[in-house]
Amino acid sequence: MWGPQTGGFSEPQAATAEIQAIADQVKSQLEEKENKKFPVFKAVEFRSQVVAGMNYLIKVQVDEDDFVHIQVFESLPHENKPVALTSYQTNKGRHDELTIF
């Protein structure tokens, strides 16, 4: 299935400008948690899940051969809440599968 499905994550897809914008919104949250700055923060792949809002799993390139996997929650528009970093995994590689964590 190409699009998000209720209850499960979509298949991995190439990141879009929209996904990059979502990743950019949680970059400072990750930098604070890791106590480091990421000069590169390029979304390369994502999966999405429809819930009461949207969950995203996003693979983000943070250096030439260094990646992080982030889980982000975007609430429904009427809730007027910021995008939130809910979980992350560091020390990932370009070819590491983007799986639920």
Side-chain angles (χ1 to χ4, degrees):
M1 178 170 193
W2 288 104
Q5 55 188 356
T6 302
F9 278 91
S10 67
E11 291 299 312
Q13 303 168 60
T16 62
E18 177 186 6
I19 298 303
Q20 182 64 57
I22 291 167
D24 289 343
Q25 290 179 62
V26 298
K27 178 182 178 187
S28 63
Q29 294 173 46
L30 180 61
E31 288 176 335
E32 186 176 319
K33 290 179 184 295
E34 282 293 293
N35 197 30
K36 67 192 261 187
K37 296 288 184 191
F38 295 106
V40 175
F41 205 74
K42 179 184 175 189
V44 294
E45 185 178 72
F46 80 102
R47 298 174 71 183
S48 58
Q49 176 190 39
V50 177
V51 290
M54 287 289 278
N55 280 323
Y56 295 96
L57 297 175
I58 306 172
K59 181 186 292 187
V60 179
Q61 184 175 8
V62 295
D63 205 346
E64 187 173 332
D65 294 315
D66 192 17
F67 293 76
V68 295
H69 291 182
I70 59 175
Q71 185 169 339
V72 178
F73 176 70
E74 182 179 44
S75 64
L76 295 170
H78 72 274
E79 294 179 340
N80 201 26
K81 294 181 180 174
V83 173
L85 176 69
T86 54
S87 187
Y88 66 96
Q89 296 178 324
T90 58
N91 301 315
K92 293 293 187 174
R94 179 177 303 277
H95 301 291
D96 286 340
E97 186 177 347
L98 190 55
T99 58
I100 299 166
F101 54 91

